[in-house]
Amino acid sequence: MNKEWIVALAPMAGVTDLPARLLAQEMGATFCVTEMLSAKGYLYAPRDARASISLTRRGPREKRLGLQLFGREPDLMSRAVEELSDRGFAFIDINMGCPAPKIAGNGEGSALMKEPELAQKVAEAAVKATHLPVTVKIRAGWNSVTAPDLARRLEDVGVCALTVHARTREQFYSGHADWNVIRDVCRAVSIPVLGNGDVVDGDSAMRMMEETGCAGVMVGRAAQGNPWIFSEIRARFAGEPYTAPTPSQKVDMALRHLDMQVSLMGEACGVREMRKHVAWYVSGMPGSARLRERINTLPQAEEVRSCLKEYLKTLPE
């Protein structure tokens, strides 16, 4: 086991904005990655508006943050990476794993796994355009496993680390992640590989590390409404006891998250964004369905805050 255990928050569109990242790091995430940004979309925005694009915003309290870009044109990737390399990010991450039809349908994201030569050129363009480390997030493949071959190609052009989501694009997020793919990628390259897929707690994180030999784990959906998972995984790696948050602590965290979200986005947008987060925080708790229904009707932050505090009084200690 590495002395520096890597437990990272995966980039998730519409989820891993600044408040979610800050809470994850507070709870022990080694680093976070932004929501994915289109290289083309960034470059096509008016030059005077590029600095204010929300997906490139990082907080002064964020420690290690990677910027994730997606695209299939090497020249556009190169230009975007060059422009964005002096924004305070720790590294540049290229998305070659997103399965969403609107991304893959344009030949971007996971669709690049069908075109390994082009994927290699995109990565090489990014590496040559920046002084920062460049990493890539891939899937097991499109509809069959091709990750080890692509991993070797990416290592050859200077990519310094990989994250492997152990499902094919055809699987999306269904079925079980095949951790054998992560193991095979680890054996195919000499650069660090992070495993992603079906890490839901400390035990599963430890099993992935032991079964694949990966350098660390990246947690996605299991961190939604559960930033404590990073503390849990770190405790498991260190052989230390871990106490799960109480229902009251979960609601308290939702209240903190609400305040951060509203401060970042303003009341209207912040309240809308928090609806899904509240649902994740209270999932499985008594009366959570009724609480979600009520929260989804409230337009003002103070109303949401009062609703959560009322709900808090109904919870057992």
Side-chain angles (χ1 to χ4, degrees):
M1 185 72 67
N2 292 335
K3 291 183 178 179
E4 183 184 358
W5 298 306
I6 301 175
V7 187
L9 174 65
M12 292 177 281
V15 179
T16 51
D17 56 11
L18 176 58
R21 298 195 306 262
L22 285 173
L23 293 175
Q25 290 197 342
E26 180 182 310
M27 291 295 143
T30 309
F31 63 81
C32 301
V33 186
T34 68
E35 302 170 73
M36 62 180 180
L37 172 68
S38 166
K40 181 187 292 185
Y42 171 79
L43 292 171
Y44 284 10
R47 180 168 288 277
D48 59 357
R50 293 179 190 173
S52 62
I53 292 176
S54 62
L55 296 183
T56 66
R57 183 184 301 156
R58 63 182 295 272
R61 292 191 291 124
E62 288 193 271
K63 292 174 286 187
R64 295 174 64 186
L65 176 65
L67 171 67
Q68 188 177 76
L69 294 170
F70 72 93
R72 61 178 282 108
E73 295 92 347
D75 59 327
L76 296 184
M77 182 64 71
S78 174
R79 288 167 51 198
V81 166
E82 185 176 9
E83 280 200 26
L84 290 161
S85 289
D86 294 320
R87 294 284 191 90
F89 295 104
F91 60 95
I92 301 294
D93 186 62
I94 303 175
N95 184 313
M96 296 187 184
C98 179
K102 67 179 181 180
I103 304 298
N106 290 328
E108 300 168 321
S110 59
L112 280 170
M113 301 207 67
K114 297 189 293 183
E115 301 180 79
E117 292 183 1
L118 177 59
Q120 186 177 30
K121 290 177 181 178
V122 169
E124 183 176 24
V127 169
K128 290 181 176 179
T130 183
H131 61 281
L132 297 176
V134 173
T135 64
V136 179
K137 190 169 190 287
I138 63 177
R139 280 193 165 238
W142 181 259
N143 54 16
S144 61
V145 175
T146 58
D149 174 67
L150 179 57
R152 283 188 286 265
R153 288 175 175 270
L154 297 173
E155 181 181 31
D156 286 345
V157 295
V159 169
C160 67
L162 297 166
T163 299
V164 181
H165 183 136
R167 288 181 174 87
T168 63
R169 192 271 180 177
E170 192 174 63
Q171 287 181 276
F172 278 78
Y173 300 101
S174 65
H176 295 291
D178 182 1
W179 291 356
N180 291 327
V181 176
I182 300 170
R183 179 202 61 201
D184 292 345
V185 171
C186 289
R187 293 175 177 176
V189 298
S190 58
I191 56 178
V193 176
L194 301 187
N196 178 224
D198 293 351
V199 173
V200 297
D201 53 23
D203 286 344
S204 56
M206 178 63 83
R207 286 199 309 274
M208 176 182 278
M209 296 281 287
E210 292 174 342
E211 292 177 17
T212 69
C214 62
V217 298
M218 182 171 277
V219 184
R221 289 171 294 162
Q224 293 173 346
N226 183 26
W228 297 273
I229 192 170
F230 300 101
S231 300
E232 179 183 358
I233 292 173
R234 284 193 172 279
R236 181 67 179 85
F237 285 175
E240 298 173 350
Y242 168 75
T243 302
T246 65
S248 295
Q249 288 173 321
K250 291 181 179 181
V251 176
D252 284 339
M253 184 67 84
L255 285 164
R256 282 190 60 203
H257 198 152
L258 171 67
D259 289 340
M260 295 166 71
Q261 204 77 52
V262 170
S263 176
L264 175 71
M265 307 180 73
E267 184 167 53
C269 290
V271 167
R272 284 198 301 272
E273 281 297 305
M274 271 307 296
R275 289 170 182 165
K276 60 182 176 243
H277 290 287
V278 169
W280 290 326
Y281 278 116
V282 303
S283 177
M285 290 164 53
S288 58
R290 183 176 299 176
L291 175 67
R292 290 195 304 269
E293 290 176 2
R294 187 176 174 195
I295 292 289
N296 287 342
T297 68
L298 301 177
Q300 297 183 343
E302 188 54 42
E303 293 175 312
V304 175
R305 197 173 291 112
S306 296
C307 184
L308 286 170
K309 288 181 178 179
E310 289 175 15
Y311 177 69
L312 188 58
K313 294 176 183 176
T314 71
L315 294 174
E317 290 298 326

